[in-house]
Each structure stands twice: as structure tokens, then as C-alpha cells.
Amino acid sequence: MNTGIGRWVAACVMTMSMTAVAWAQSPTVPEAASASAAAVRLSASTDLSAVPQAVNAEPVSTPASLAETAPAAPVELKRPGLVMQSTINGADTAWMITATALVLLMTLPGIALFYGGMVRKKNVINTMASVVAIAALVSLLWFLFGYSLAFTPGSGWLGGSTRFWFEGFVYLKEAGKVSVSHIAPAIPESVFAMFQLTFAIITPALIVGAFVERMKFSAMLWFVALWSLLVYAPVAHWVWEPGGWIAQMGALDFAGGTVVHINAGVAGLMCAYFIGPRRGYGREAFEPFNLGLTMAGTGLLWVGWFGFNAGSAIAADGRAGLAMLVTHVAAAAGAMAWMLGEWLVRRRPSLLGLCSGAVAGLVAITPAAGFVTPGSAVVIGGVAGLSCYWGATGLKRWLGADDSLDVFGVHAVGGIVGSLLTGLLADAAISGARGSVATQAVATVAVLVYGAVVSALLLLAIRRVIGLRVTESAELNGLDISQHRERIGT
């Protein structure tokens, strides 16, 4: 374990040094922009009075019925607050409710199926139970503290306490008022908070893939609870709340390249180091239970990712449509790139490789989805497919960690590729935001280092108090029986 950690620390130091040089040589710092499209787009309505009229055009009258039903322009807010119901955009709200359901499907049952199909039969129930338990646990923590710490104004490092216990989430029918977030004033705050909750759920659920088949269920719950509050919420605030220090720096992360994927990937790597490899790792073949389940999970992830990325536009508009298109194109490019790489190296393609490549493309396009053209999406997906194939093979061997289902190799590597290429390929004509590779590199390294250090400290504390790993006999018998007294059918 010490050798692997030493390599990881050395790699971090090298990366930070290179980043410092690149930042120092950067001629300009991009204008501060929100990391999410939610902060870029404050209103779904268009002020018709601001649109130039054609020369000699006849005045256009608006029917009274339309004038009465058209939503009023949302008030620009500095913090969450109450607005008139008439300022809420119905189309945006309907789309965001749909997107929220799509993203939740990525975890339940998407991740459960994706991971459950890859582990051995004696650990399928434990893997799926971990995903379900995380969804429930994180939901309650989001209600108690997480949402407020991530998405309310505070300092550049952490949000405030004004939305603890969802305080202030109001719908007043008689008064015609509803609470909204300052980040998304055209939809009810309840919808925005629920949408962001689905991201908070899937991020720790992804980490499960790094420690399957050997971690205590109780230790997993403690780690996820503390990690969600001490790592996920602060990083989400840095990147997505307009006052966060990374957002102020001008780094671009449309839907979670740093917040979700790099964050989960580096936490997974720390888990793999501190828990240690599975017994028999590298000496015996670990037969996956059912790659058909993994394929079904991949399909749910692919489709759900449309809500993940297109939903991050926080609007039913052209930018959401473009985000959906580039998401699909990048996934296809990632699948093909991984397949070709595997075909050249191992002389045959595999279903698991195609599924992994598609996920790699989806991961990499996540930070870029609202900033790049379809052509750039093909480049991002293709580079990610090959990079993540290396991440799950050559890099994995070099790091010396049993990252069982390649959480670091796919999510961290794919997130790094996507984050850096966003800085290179972002098109200002799409969002008005200009990319900077140096700025993206600073944000990437900051999340990597913070996530690694805090995750390591949490794992050390939990190992000292209750232990991280099941006993040898429990691992040999399988966690389905030893942790849950359940067994999957034949």
C-alpha cells in the first residue's frame, strides 16, 4: 500500500508543479463565470422589448390571453428567496422534473446493475444493497445539511446554514409565492434541490466500485456520510455556487467533471489503497456474475445522462438540446475508441469494453456539454475512450491498487481529460464563457488533492474506530451471506 501511495503522491506533486508553471505563463485569467449553466442563464424568458425590430415593420400586438398567461421575467436574486408564482417558467420546470427522474435512474437501478453484473455471484446483493443504502442516506443528509452547505451563499469555501432542514422551502398558494434558488430563479427551489440531490447520490455510489467484495457495510455507511458532508458539499460549492472560489476563478464544469467524477475517482483510489486488494487479486480469475446486467446498467446510464447533462442547462432551451446531442455523440465515440484500442491490444473486442468506453465518453463530456460543438464532442469522447482504457490497464498496474471496477481509471481519468479539453475546446459563441486550460488544470488539481487528503483522513479514522475490512472468512464466503444473510437466486 505504501508504494502505491508514494506513487500517487509523487504524481500529484508533479501535476501541481506543471500546473503552477502553466498558470504563471497564462497571459490572462478568464472572466469569472459560473461553473454551471444555472448561473449563466438566469431567466428562461426573453424580453421582447430588447429584440431589434425590422426596419418599417408593422407593430405587433400581443393577444390579451397570451399576455395574461406569459410568465413574468424572474427577479435577479443574490440568495434564495420568495418570488411570485408568475415568474416560474412551466416548460423549464417540467423539463427539470423529468431530468431529475432520469438522473435518479442512473443510480437506481443503473449503477446497481452496472456494478452488480461485474462482481462475483457471492457479492451481488451486497453491491446492490450498498447503492440503495447510499441513495437513502445521502437523501437525508442533503435534507439536513448538504444542500445548504453546497448551494447557499457563504464564503468561497462553504455555503451557509440558511437552508438546513430545507428551511425556507415554501409554496404559498393563496399569496401566489414560491421559494427559488438564486442559481435557478425560473424553477421552484424544491425542483432545483431535488435535481442537485440526484448528483449528490450518484457520486458516492460510484465510489462503491473501488471497494466491492471486501468492505464492511457499516464502515461504508460511515465513510459515505462523512465524505458527502466534508468533501462533496464543499467541492460542489466551490464549483457551482456563484460565490465559490473555483467558480470565481472562471473554471468551467457544466455538469460535474470535477464535482462528480474526479471527486469520486480519487476517493475510490484512496479506498482501494487503505482497504487493500481482494484476496486472490492478481492470482486467480474473478468471474463476473452477469455482464448482461452490466449492459442493462450501461443503457440506463447512457439514457439517464441526457438528464444529467441536458438538465444542467436548467432550462428547456437550445443549449439543453445541444448538451443532449454532444452527450450522445461523445458516448458513441468513447465506446468505439475503447473497442478499437482493446481490439488492437488484445486481438478481440468485448462487451465490457464497449460498455466501459461508452461510460468513459459520457464522463469526459460532462464538464464540456454546455460549452462545445458536436465535432469537439467526438474528439473528447474518442480521447477519453483511449485514455480510460489505459487508465483501467496500464495506469492501474502502475498505481498498484485493486480499484476493483476501475472507478479511478474511468471516472477520474475521464474527468481529467474532459476538464482539460473543456478549457481547450469551449466555444464562447455557445455560452459566452471562454475556456482556459490553465484554469481548468488548477481546478482539477485542487479537487484531486483535497479529495485524496480528506478521504484518506476519513478512512484512517474509520479504520481505527470500527475497522474497514471484513474478516477473511467473511470475504471467502461472500458479503451477501456474511453481511446480509441473503443469497442471489440461480
Side-chain angles (χ1 to χ4, degrees), residues 5-336:
I5 293 177
R7 290 172 177 171
W8 170 243
V9 171
C12 280
V13 171
M14 291 171 59
T15 306
M16 292 176 70
S17 300
M18 295 173 63
T19 300
V21 173
W23 180 254
Q25 293 176 346
S26 178
T28 59
V29 178
E31 296 180 5
S34 168
S36 167
V40 175
R41 182 189 182 281
L42 293 179
S43 173
S45 304
T46 301
D47 184 1
L48 296 178
S49 64
V51 179
Q53 301 296 315
V55 178
N56 298 325
E58 293 294 330
V60 178
S61 60
T62 303
S65 59
L66 291 181
E68 292 172 0
T69 59
V75 178
E76 187 171 346
L77 301 172
K78 299 293 185 181
R79 60 187 62 252
L82 279 174
V83 299
M84 297 303 297
Q85 178 71 25
S86 59
T87 66
I88 297 299
N89 187 291
D92 291 352
T93 302
W95 162 236
M96 292 308 300
I97 291 173
T98 303
T100 299
L102 287 171
V103 181
L104 187 58
L105 281 173
M106 293 173 67
T107 304
L108 300 172
I111 292 294
L113 292 172
F114 185 75
Y115 284 167
M118 285 190 279
V119 298
R120 288 172 288 181
K121 182 179 178 180
K122 61 184 179 180
N123 297 304
V124 174
I125 285 176
N126 172 260
T127 302
M128 293 184 169
S130 297
V131 174
V132 175
I134 286 170
L137 175 62
V138 173
S139 294
L140 294 178
L141 291 173
W142 195 248
F143 159 69
L144 292 172
F145 309 115
Y147 172 73
S148 189
L149 294 175
F151 288 103
T152 63
S155 68
W157 301 92
L158 195 64
S161 60
T162 57
R163 285 303 196 246
F164 281 0
W165 299 76
F166 283 172
E167 179 71 24
F169 278 43
V170 175
Y171 173 70
L172 303 174
K173 181 178 180 180
E174 296 299 327
K177 292 185 176 182
V178 64
S179 60
V180 299
S181 168
H182 59 301
I183 301 174
I187 65 174
E189 190 174 12
S190 56
V191 176
F192 177 73
M194 183 66 191
F195 178 68
Q196 295 298 340
L197 168 59
T198 60
F199 286 67
I201 288 171
I202 197 172
T203 307
L206 292 172
I207 303 172
V208 170
F211 57 71
V212 291
E213 304 192 318
R214 61 200 189 276
M215 190 174 190
K216 287 183 177 179
F217 196 75
S218 57
M220 180 274 296
L221 291 174
W222 275 110
F223 176 73
V224 167
L226 295 170
W227 188 89
S228 294
L229 295 176
L230 299 178
V231 179
Y232 182 84
V235 172
H237 181 79
W238 299 354
V239 177
W240 283 336
E241 208 284 325
W245 73 269
I246 289 180
Q248 286 290 309
M249 187 174 63
L252 305 177
D253 187 352
F254 190 72
T258 51
V259 179
V260 176
H261 299 293
I262 294 175
N263 217 2
V266 73
L269 184 63
M270 292 300 103
C271 288
Y273 278 140
F274 280 89
I275 299 171
R278 292 165 290 178
R279 301 189 187 279
Y281 175 70
R283 301 190 304 274
E284 61 184 75
F286 292 161
E287 190 73 21
F289 170 63
N290 187 336
L291 290 181
L293 294 180
T294 299
M295 166 58 212
T298 303
L300 284 166
L301 287 170
W302 194 325
V303 174
W305 228 291
F306 296 146
F308 201 87
N309 286 355
S312 292
I314 316 293
D317 63 4
R319 196 176 183 201
L322 181 62
M324 181 177 183
L325 173 62
V326 299
T327 297
H328 184 73
V329 169
M336 294 301 293

